[in-house]
Amino acid sequence: MMQALQRMLWPKLARQLLGRPVTDPAPAVSAEVVAQLAARLEEGAQARLGRSLAIRQVDAGSCNACELEINALGNIVYDLERFGLRFVASPRHADVLLVTGPLTRNMKEALLRTRECTPEPCWVVAVGGCAVDGGLFKDSYGVEGGVSAALPVDLVIPGCPPTPTQLLEGLLALLEAQAPPRRDGAA
Amino acid sequence: MSALDLLRTGSPQECRPVPRMLLTRPQWGALAEALVADTGPELMALWADPASVYLLLREGATLHLVSCPAPDGRYPALSPARPGAVRFERMIRDLWGHVAEGAVDLRPWLDHGRWPVAAPLAAKPEANGAAVPQPEFLTVEGEGVHQIPVGPVHAGIIEPGHFRFHVQGETVVRLEQRLGYVHKGHIGLMLGKPAQVAATLIARLSGDSTVAHGWAFAQAVEQALEVSPSPRATALRAVMAELERLHNHLNDWGFVCNDAAFAWPHAQCGALREGVLRTCAAAFGHRLMMDRVVPGGVAADLAPEGTAAILAALDAVEAAMPGLLAVYEGHASLQDRVVGTGRVAPELAARFAAGGHVGRAAGRGFDARAALPYPPYDALPPEVPVLAEGDVDARVRIRIAEIGESLRLLRALLADLPEGAVQVPLPRRGGEGIGVVEGFRGDCLHWVALDEAGLVRAAFPRDPSWLQWPLLEAAIEGNIVADFPLCNKSFNCSYSGVDL
């Protein structure tokens, strides 16, 4: 009887419905970063994007540590989707390209093609120390440099790798930046 | 003469823990021929420097390192005797320009024709001005066969690589991988650097195995310089390595279930893993414990509250295991996807010397902690789970068994942490050494040669994925395309680790 109960999913789900959520509260967002980002975004784009972003992640040469932490954003502790942020399988569905790694020469064309497939307006976010300027790998024959060696970058989230909380701060800043101006004039 | 008798005819050069046997070209050629009939010694790695090629074999508990000069840029191929040599030979030609004579396959591997130089690690690399060539794939003939190209940019949040499927209907007839997209030039960047600086590059060879690779590289350096880390540093390295195994195995178990569209274990494993990572940050100051293992010891001691935090995280994992396992085993919709899917034949795992869960799920019971014991595992040997089925389920079950074993090892290590310093100074001199550490994915193997000033003269980091990736091509054959993500995740090979 006990064994049969243990195999069943619904008692476990019911228990979790009754318990307190394990999800962390949202981190604070830097007002300065939000202002800079908002200035980059045209007014029309604000209306089109609304308060939701579809993200396409591109590994352009990373060691996979950044991918581990980006994946962690989806776990129930960070629960990225509660903010209207979600990862999509194709750049054609994306508003944001989240690019990691020093840009390798062998990935440059794939990154450029991914950007070409992404509709406007599109944010490019460079994630991790390597994506900023090539990091430890910048002097290698196999590396172009940071992500900006191929694409204009809108936001940088440094760290080696950035923690999920740091990633969340950056992504929430993007959301804030495109929040439409409030009608009541309270800014 | 057996292969091992042949390599004993070489002239021994100083290297630790085993000498390097220097062979002449005819001796190397004879060894390559002997290995065809003598299937005993396993090929663990094959690499080069500008002047020579190097081969590491294993038989039983002994490693055998041999080298052979290649002054004209040629050497007798090993791929006719050991299929695992194929990708190494392709890589050697791309990086150093040495050509394996009689090789099974000499198409480019890491070099996609996009670097400013050809053979970038050769003594004199040549400028590359040629147009980028189209990759050549192996072909399949038959009625109704068509191709599906996938990648390098994948649908999920994973590393880039290209998979070329030949399919007939829904069934995969052949998969061929094309990797090298994240080639960052690790080896070239390490050359001429002090061991401590090279270690920061190795910590970023494959981020999920940062501890295991860092430890294996540190071992190689310590062997080369004849220094021993303190007992406390050794124990702390093992604590970090077991935590790394734990968080990765939890991650993979959850993701395999997720790829079968069964979300609950994924959510549970994700939460447990997050607990482990936060504990790592509290205990060692970094969630993935990057740069914590350094040549000579560990970068910093365990935080005062670290032991209690780790033990609490272990209790949480242990408490959740029976329920998770019962759900994994008790749902036919999930079992139907994993049992019998992506089978690796034990003969193949043995021929490729595939390590980690890929080998142990297919009858090859090699675990470096037990087979080539190093402190502290010489005094604390792990139980090594082995299964013969070789399917997705077996690879998951090996991980589940290893989660339990890591919990036991961690508690034993923490209950008996030696006191003392955590770093010893490194002397400034030359030497050559080998290090092998069992990471979550398998045996991480490092060879390093330091010059008289203590700077890296030559090095080769061998991620376990080198000998696992080819088996994924075999595992998917005859399966349906829709099961590929499941097979791929159950292997979870590193791209960055083999792209160098």
Side-chain angles (χ1 to χ4, degrees):
Chain A
M1 177 60 196
M2 274 307 289
Q3 267 188 334
L5 206 63
Q6 200 163 47
R7 273 202 297 274
M8 277 189 271
L9 208 48
W10 66 264
K12 296 185 176 65
L13 294 174
R15 216 166 30 241
Q16 277 154 15
L17 280 176
L18 296 172
R20 290 172 58 81
V22 294
T23 310
D24 276 357
V29 172
S30 147
E32 197 185 340
V33 174
V34 172
Q36 283 170 5
L37 286 168
R40 292 184 73 110
L41 196 69
E42 299 162 33
E43 239 175 74
Q46 291 180 338
R48 259 179 290 165
L49 289 172
R51 283 195 64 91
S52 172
L53 287 174
I55 306 166
R56 173 66 267 196
Q57 197 265 335
V58 182
D59 174 345
S62 113
C63 73
N64 80 30
C66 285
E67 279 62 39
L68 288 181
E69 294 296 51
I70 292 170
N71 263 319
L73 282 175
N75 73 31
I76 56 177
V77 182
Y78 298 104
D79 190 19
L80 190 70
E81 298 214 3
R82 74 185 138 140
F83 301 108
L85 297 164
R86 69 201 163 92
F87 287 101
V88 292
S90 166
R92 295 191 196 282
H93 307 156
D95 309 310
V96 177
L97 290 183
L98 199 63
V99 189
T100 62
L103 176 60
T104 65
R105 297 203 193 273
N106 288 352
M107 270 305 287
K108 185 180 178 185
E109 186 188 342
L111 177 64
L112 289 174
R113 285 212 210 174
T114 305
R115 177 63 186 88
E116 275 171 31
C117 292
T118 317
E120 299 292 341
C122 165
W123 296 108
V124 175
V125 181
V127 169
C130 296
V132 174
D133 63 351
L136 284 180
F137 303 101
K138 64 176 154 228
D139 297 325
S140 170
Y141 60 86
V143 166
E144 299 272 349
V147 174
S148 61
L151 290 177
V153 171
D154 298 297
L155 175 68
V156 162
I157 305 178
C160 188
T163 63
T165 306
Q166 288 168 327
L167 288 164
L168 209 46
E169 283 165 11
L171 293 172
L172 290 179
L174 282 183
L175 273 187
E176 289 296 323
Q178 64 193 38
R182 286 192 207 158
R183 295 241 174 99
D184 59 12
Chain B
M1 243 194 302
S2 78
L4 294 185
D5 290 337
L6 265 168
L7 63 87
R8 285 190 196 101
T9 59
S11 93
Q13 310 292 306
E14 206 174 315
C15 177
R16 275 168 294 272
V18 290
R20 170 164 56 84
M21 305 306 279
L22 179 61
L23 302 186
T24 62
R25 172 93 57 105
Q27 284 174 320
W28 177 287
L31 175 65
E33 270 178 42
L35 284 171
V36 175
D38 183 357
T39 55
E42 291 180 330
L43 182 140
M44 303 294 277
L46 182 64
W47 69 94
D49 67 15
S52 304
V53 286
Y54 297 79
L55 164 69
L56 190 71
L57 297 170
R58 177 187 83 100
E59 183 141 56
T62 316
L63 293 172
H64 300 276
L65 176 62
V66 292
S67 71
C68 168
D72 57 348
R74 310 188 87 76
Y75 65 100
L78 289 156
S79 48
R82 291 290 181 277
V86 171
R87 290 186 182 181
F88 289 118
E89 288 172 355
R90 295 170 72 179
M91 173 274 294
I92 288 171
R93 193 170 95 151
D94 286 354
L95 295 186
W96 290 280
H98 305 323
V99 179
E101 290 181 305
V104 169
D105 189 346
L106 273 179
R107 289 173 297 158
W109 181 243
L110 299 179
D111 186 353
H112 293 188
R114 296 171 189 272
W115 304 334
V117 287
L121 301 183
K124 284 188 188 141
E126 283 178 21
N128 170 33
V132 176
Q134 275 293 316
E136 280 176 52
F137 292 98
L138 301 174
T139 54
V140 170
E141 286 177 18
E143 205 175 332
V145 172
H146 62 283
Q147 296 184 32
I148 308 177
V150 179
V153 179
H154 293 158
I157 304 169
I158 59 170
E159 300 177 78
H162 181 86
F163 298 120
R164 183 63 60 103
F165 295 93
H166 281 84
V167 298
Q168 200 163 31
E170 272 196 284
T171 309
V172 178
V173 182
R174 164 174 266 162
L175 160 67
E176 191 179 359
Q177 297 144 0
R178 182 178 190 243
L179 305 179
Y181 289 92
V182 290
H183 177 79
K184 295 181 268 296
H186 260 98
I187 298 173
L189 289 169
M190 288 167 72
L191 301 181
K193 303 267 168 59
Q196 292 85 344
V197 177
T200 60
L201 287 155
I202 288 301
R204 286 150 188 85
L205 181 70
S206 182
D208 50 17
S209 304
T210 181
V211 173
H213 275 298
W215 188 359
F217 178 72
Q219 251 188 26
V221 170
E222 288 153 9
Q223 287 285 347
L225 300 175
E226 290 183 89
V227 296
S228 298
S230 72
R232 184 170 181 84
T234 306
L236 289 177
R237 286 174 174 184
V239 168
M240 288 191 262
E242 295 306 324
L243 286 169
E244 185 174 81
R245 195 180 326 278
L246 195 58
H247 83 71
N248 279 298
H249 279 351
L250 284 169
N251 202 39
D252 287 350
W253 187 12
F255 267 95
V256 165
C257 296
N258 196 49
D259 278 344
F262 201 86
W264 187 80
H266 179 50
Q268 293 298 306
C269 287
L272 291 172
R273 173 173 181 269
E274 182 63 29
V276 175
L277 292 182
R278 289 182 175 193
T279 302
C280 295
F284 297 104
H286 190 284
R287 284 163 58 89
L288 302 176
M289 300 165 287
M290 216 167 230
D291 299 323
R292 270 31 188 191
V293 179
V294 294
V298 294
D301 208 336
L302 178 67
E305 70 283 9
T307 304
I310 296 171
L311 289 174
L314 302 185
D315 289 345
V317 173
E318 186 162 55
M321 288 296 284
L324 264 169
L325 185 59
V327 166
Y328 174 78
E329 286 177 335
H331 284 74
S333 60
L334 182 56
Q335 288 290 301
D336 183 52
R337 294 292 306 279
V338 294
V339 174
T341 306
R343 194 170 171 274
V344 173
E347 307 77 62
L348 268 187
R351 278 187 74 197
F352 276 84
H357 43 261
V358 175
R360 292 193 285 275
R364 182 174 179 265
F366 176 83
D367 181 319
R369 292 173 295 172
L372 304 165
Y374 49 94
Y377 299 107
D378 49 356
L380 186 66
E383 286 272 336
V384 180
V386 186
L387 293 169
E389 287 80 359
D391 56 1
V392 170
D393 179 56
R395 288 186 283 278
V396 168
R397 284 176 187 277
I398 293 288
R399 288 179 169 99
I400 294 170
E402 289 180 6
I403 288 172
E405 191 55 12
S406 285
L407 295 177
R408 181 183 76 83
L409 293 173
L410 277 164
R411 286 187 178 126
L413 286 162
L414 290 170
D416 194 20
L417 268 186
E419 293 298 323
V422 293
Q423 265 195 58
V424 291
L426 295 181
R428 234 175 128 184
R429 54 181 164 80
E432 192 177 321
I434 301 170
V436 189
V437 163
E438 187 74 18
F440 88 97
R441 188 179 270 127
D443 42 307
C444 299
L445 199 153
H446 286 251
W447 170 81
V448 68
L450 303 171
D451 66 16
E452 290 314 310
L455 306 178
V456 176
R457 181 186 67 71
F460 187 70
R462 201 236 46 199
D463 189 86
S465 304
W466 276 100
L467 302 168
Q468 297 169 337
W469 271 118
L471 296 183
L472 179 59
E473 293 185 344
I476 190 64
E477 203 181 305
N479 286 249
I480 58 172
V481 180
D483 278 343
F484 180 70
L486 208 50
C487 294
N488 195 17
K489 198 68 218 179
S490 74
F491 272 66
N492 189 19
C493 296
S494 175
Y495 299 66
S496 182
V498 297
D499 282 357
L500 299 171

